Amino acid sequence: MLDSIRSTFIMLGECVKMSLANILGNRVRSFLTVLGILIGVAAVIALITTVNGFSGSLSNSFSAMGAGTLTVTVTGSDLKSGLSTDDLAEIAAMGIVDGVTPSVALNARVSRGGSYETGISVSGKNGYYFTRNPDLLSRGRAINFTDEDNMTQVCIISPDMVEQFFYGVDPIGENLYIGSIPFTVVGLMTEEGSGNISDMMSGSPDILIPYTTALKLNSANVVTSFTVYLAAGVDSETASDALEARLEAMFSYEEDCFEIMNMSSIEDTMQNMLNMVSALLAGIASIALIVGGIGIMNMMLTTVTERTTEIGLKKALGAIPWQIQAQFLIESFLLSIIGGALGILLGLTLSLVLSKVMGTSFVISTFAIVLGAGFSAAVGIIFGWAPARKASRLNPIDALRSA
Amino acid sequence: MSMSILKRREHSPAPASGNPDAKDAFFRMEKINKFYQMGEEQAHILKDVDLSLDRGEYLSVLGPSGSGKSTLMNIIGCLDVANSGRYVLDGQVIEDLGEAELARIRSREIGFIFQNSQLLPRLTAQKNVELPLIYAGVPPRERRRRAREMLARVGLSDRMGHTPNQLSGGQQQRVAIARALVGNPTLLLADEPTGALDQKTGRQVMGLFRELNDEGRTIIMITHDMNIAKYARRVVHIIDGVLTEGGGTADA
């Protein structure tokens, strides 16, 4: 028993050697045969790797835009049009919440001296906002909790505003009128702004003021838009559900009073779509693998016909049918594995180039490589089966006579 | 007719119990018949062939083309089985065997030598000789040793690494003989072994056959050439599927 296993392995080892000799002895032909597999695998690998890189970049920009935050827009009901400062404090006190930033947006006429500008986007923020966005300020100080409580008339302005109203003057400490109310400039924003999704949606404000002051300017007493920063390690789905429950209670369970936007779930949705597109494209690319498999089958059938005498001879010398079958199967397997390996190399090279061109990240996907290798191995066995079977069934007499 | 033959075969007793000769015989064919279906017609290729051989004999089967000698060779070589009759080789009854069993018997019992040496062009002489041992599952080291030994026996020690196209026709045929011998078969079966060789080389190969026979090898040689057949110690004729004893050759 052990002996027969041993001799089987010896035989298979020889098959591998002989197959390699055949494949390498016919380099041009072998290369043309595996070209289909090569292209198919390369296409699948390049697609998967590129899409992976793209989705990596996507998720990076999403987390820059505010992963770990929930943005709430309140439409309100007849009884309650928005959230009070107390409501916000209640939400901020939830275990899942690290802090809350209200956004009170208004459009105002801004003036200084003789120059003015209308339609300037002004946004009311709280002190917490600045602790979460420390890179926002280029100079000066942030709005702090004292400003919030005292509804101070201080503001932080964008570089555009500096250019507009403070040409040649250091703006800090100077006054600026929002509507008819004077504000003291205490800080300057960087060119980039916060990059925060809720700020982007409200059109990147040019002037930030304490939100309590903004509410007074608006002659409102409720907040209709705010961002909830989740505590570390909190799942955004769970948090979203908890927040929803809390808000529903605040709005006495009336329907459609608010909307929670979960950046993570939007990202998930986009990633899912991307994955589907990638699977679809990979599916289309794998048609090339099938075509490649047919190429291998065709070549193997030709080989079997060409080597009829050899097969007959080997049978006469004592080869058992399954040994002949194994030899041809090994040959087609090796052919397609070689094609697959070359395809993986080409695919990775292609996707490296693509990632450089598109500026996305290049991540080698183990999954794609395993898929490519597995696919080509399967193709070799599936499409090599019929020719190998044909070879093993050749009658040695006919095979020898054809010489 | 063929029914009665089949019936007889079914009821024929096992060699050990019924026919004491069959058990002892090294090589024994009894009433071998072979038919081929050619469209509607059935061609009767071998007709009640009886043939017995002792160990160490050197026999040639002489017959013109179409006489059925190739078919007989195929049956002797276990490449094909008879439709009826009994064939015993080295104590084994060759009938109704599957492909795998036939392959095993070919591997153990028979060394083939073909007209066109039938070497694999990509392999070296040594590797060609190793081929039967590969299918028999002999480990590499022993395989190499035996192949070298056999190539030395046929006088090709200095040609082991050559591929067939680097060898002359006679050398190729000697490689083929080494390949036939390497498995230490009980029977050497040669089909027109000099058919592709010039006269001088052919004579050398026949000399080698005679030497092998002197060493105790059993040889059956199939040929259409009277001049070649006479090298054997015993000649049988086959004409139209009928085998007749031709007696010993002149120099036997």
Side-chain angles (χ1 to χ4, degrees):
Chain A
M1 182 61 189
L2 220 64
D3 258 13
S4 77
I5 291 171
R6 184 175 143 80
S7 57
T8 300
F9 271 104
I10 288 167
M11 204 281 302
L12 291 178
E14 288 303 321
C15 283
V16 172
K17 278 191 215 160
M18 284 195 274
S19 298
L20 279 177
N22 276 323
I23 290 168
L24 296 177
N26 255 321
R27 261 168 242 240
V28 174
R29 186 160 119 170
S30 301
F31 179 72
L32 291 175
T33 306
V34 302
L35 205 53
I37 293 283
L38 196 159
I39 291 171
V41 170
V44 171
I45 298 265
L47 269 169
I48 293 178
T49 313
T50 304
V51 169
N52 273 1
F54 187 66
S55 86
S57 308
L58 188 77
S59 98
N60 283 344
S61 51
F62 261 87
S63 53
M65 286 196 301
T69 67
L70 300 174
T71 301
V72 181
T73 310
V74 177
T75 43
S77 67
D78 291 343
L79 292 170
K80 187 181 174 77
S81 58
L83 295 185
S84 67
T85 312
D86 288 346
D87 290 334
L88 289 177
E90 191 184 326
I91 289 167
M94 287 170 75
I96 50 162
V97 176
D98 189 59
V100 176
T101 295
S103 287
V104 182
L106 45 124
N107 274 303
R109 178 182 184 274
V110 175
S111 59
R112 181 178 182 261
S115 61
Y116 69 91
E117 181 96 7
T118 53
I120 296 294
S121 153
V122 179
S123 182
K125 300 287 184 191
N126 62 358
Y128 179 75
Y129 176 76
F130 290 91
T131 60
R132 286 309 294 251
N133 296 289
D135 297 333
L136 187 58
L137 286 180
S138 67
R139 270 179 63 210
R141 73 165 178 92
I143 290 167
N144 58 34
F145 299 99
T146 320
D147 295 323
E148 266 178 61
D149 291 346
N150 300 331
M151 294 188 226
T152 54
Q153 285 153 298
V154 295
C155 68
I156 290 161
I157 59 173
S158 71
D160 281 354
M161 292 291 104
V162 174
E163 201 175 309
Q164 183 89 31
F165 296 109
F166 297 98
Y167 187 76
V169 184
D170 181 4
I172 292 191
E174 296 291 319
N175 273 356
L176 189 67
Y177 282 83
I178 299 175
S180 55
I181 310 204
F183 280 78
T184 307
V185 177
V186 293
L188 303 179
M189 279 188 256
T190 57
E191 193 73 55
E192 290 80 22
S194 70
N196 192 290
I197 185 73
S198 57
D199 292 338
M200 282 180 188
M201 289 194 311
S202 55
S204 292
D206 277 315
I207 301 179
L208 302 178
I209 59 175
Y211 86 97
T212 44
T213 316
L215 283 175
K216 199 170 76 179
L217 279 180
N218 243 359
S219 20
N221 51 10
V222 288
V223 171
T224 55
S225 169
F226 60 94
T227 302
V228 175
Y229 290 84
L230 300 177
V234 173
D235 173 54
S236 66
E237 289 294 327
T238 333
S240 178
D241 291 346
L243 183 63
E244 189 177 346
R246 185 63 64 97
L247 285 168
E248 273 173 357
M250 284 177 180
F251 285 98
S252 316
Y253 302 99
E254 281 203 55
E255 283 181 9
D256 299 330
C257 289
F258 60 88
E259 195 180 339
I260 301 173
M261 198 171 77
N262 182 349
M263 287 311 294
S264 305
S265 72
I266 292 172
E267 190 195 341
D268 285 350
T269 313
M270 288 194 69
Q271 292 285 10
N272 280 344
M273 279 171 58
L274 209 56
N275 286 345
M276 270 166 60
V277 170
S278 128
L280 188 73
L281 288 175
I284 293 169
S286 59
I287 292 174
L289 282 174
I290 294 169
V291 175
I294 294 169
I296 287 193
M297 178 145 101
N298 188 27
M299 159 76 172
M300 290 309 294
L301 284 171
T302 311
T303 306
V304 169
T305 311
E306 279 175 358
R307 306 211 315 240
T308 302
T309 319
E310 177 189 323
I311 295 162
L313 174 76
K314 286 178 171 173
K315 285 193 156 186
L317 297 182
I320 303 164
W322 78 257
Q323 291 176 323
I324 300 287
Q325 187 169 359
Q327 192 201 320
F328 280 89
L329 213 48
I330 284 172
E331 191 160 328
S332 73
F333 177 76
L334 284 176
L335 261 179
S336 66
I337 274 286
I338 290 171
L342 293 176
I344 289 172
L345 283 181
L346 179 65
L348 289 178
T349 314
L350 270 179
S351 43
L352 181 63
V353 171
L354 273 175
S355 74
K356 290 271 180 268
V357 171
M358 288 167 53
T360 55
S361 50
F362 173 69
V363 183
I364 291 180
S365 156
T366 325
F367 168 73
I369 290 172
V370 170
L371 188 79
F375 233 117
S376 50
V379 161
I381 291 175
I382 292 167
F383 288 94
W385 189 266
R389 186 132 186 90
K390 183 185 166 197
S392 77
R393 286 184 163 183
L394 277 182
N395 183 342
I397 303 166
D398 298 338
L400 281 170
R401 196 174 287 155
S402 77
Chain B
M1 170 66 180
S2 64
M3 263 314 288
S4 70
I5 291 166
L6 275 172
K7 217 171 145 194
R8 192 162 67 228
R9 195 177 72 174
E10 277 163 18
H11 291 282
S12 63
S17 56
N19 189 343
D21 287 349
K23 184 187 166 192
D24 301 329
F26 163 66
F27 176 104
R28 188 178 190 90
M29 281 184 156
E30 283 169 8
K31 301 235 177 295
I32 291 285
N33 281 276
K34 184 71 183 175
F35 310 94
Y36 280 129
Q37 202 67 40
M38 307 269 218
E40 290 290 292
E41 285 182 35
Q42 204 179 40
H44 198 173
I45 307 292
L46 295 177
K47 299 166 184 164
D48 284 338
V49 169
D50 289 320
L51 181 62
S52 288
L53 227 69
D54 288 329
R55 229 176 261 277
E57 271 201 82
Y58 184 3
L59 172 83
S60 69
V61 177
L62 180 64
S65 60
S67 60
K69 66 180 193 304
S70 290
T71 305
L72 180 62
M73 186 198 92
N74 290 335
I75 292 173
I76 294 173
C78 298
L79 288 167
D80 203 354
V81 285
N83 294 102
S84 71
R86 159 148 298 204
Y87 173 29
V88 177
L89 175 64
D90 200 16
Q92 295 164 92
V93 182
I94 316 293
E95 58 188 45
D96 300 333
L97 292 179
E99 260 204 88
E101 284 100 339
L102 285 177
R104 221 156 271 139
I105 289 173
R106 288 197 292 272
S107 164
R108 270 201 298 263
E109 308 286 352
I110 296 160
F112 282 96
I113 298 159
F114 302 98
Q115 175 171 1
N116 302 302
S117 54
Q118 301 277 23
L119 302 177
L120 297 187
R122 264 189 228 297
L123 305 182
T124 61
Q126 184 187 320
K127 209 73 187 162
N128 264 294
V129 175
E130 282 182 40
L131 208 55
L133 302 182
I134 288 173
Y135 293 111
V138 176
R141 190 170 302 170
E142 191 190 342
R143 214 162 61 205
R144 279 195 289 274
R145 184 183 62 73
R146 280 165 68 177
R148 290 208 189 99
E149 210 174 276
M150 279 308 143
L151 279 168
R153 172 64 195 86
V154 298
L156 288 175
S157 291
D158 53 343
R159 294 283 189 278
M160 301 208 219
H162 291 53
T163 51
N165 59 9
Q166 296 168 319
L167 298 170
S168 71
Q171 287 170 333
Q172 288 180 28
Q173 195 59 306
R174 278 191 280 162
V175 174
I177 292 166
R179 182 180 62 191
L181 289 171
V182 78
N184 198 23
T186 48
L187 176 67
L188 272 186
L189 186 56
D191 182 19
E192 303 280 8
T194 60
L197 303 177
D198 60 59
Q199 279 203 340
K200 181 169 165 255
T201 327
R203 273 200 302 277
Q204 285 169 356
V205 168
M206 283 302 98
L208 182 58
F209 269 45
R210 182 55 75 87
E211 282 174 36
L212 293 171
N213 180 238
D214 288 342
E215 291 166 11
R217 299 274 177 191
T218 314
I219 303 174
I220 297 181
M221 178 167 70
I222 315 278
T223 182
H224 70 282
D225 188 345
M226 183 59 161
N227 293 321
I228 294 299
K230 71 173 192 245
Y231 282 98
R233 296 184 199 276
R234 177 182 156 202
V235 178
V236 292
H237 298 268
I238 182 164
I239 293 164
D240 236 358
V242 178
L243 192 86
T244 49
E245 203 71 33
T249 52
D251 58 349

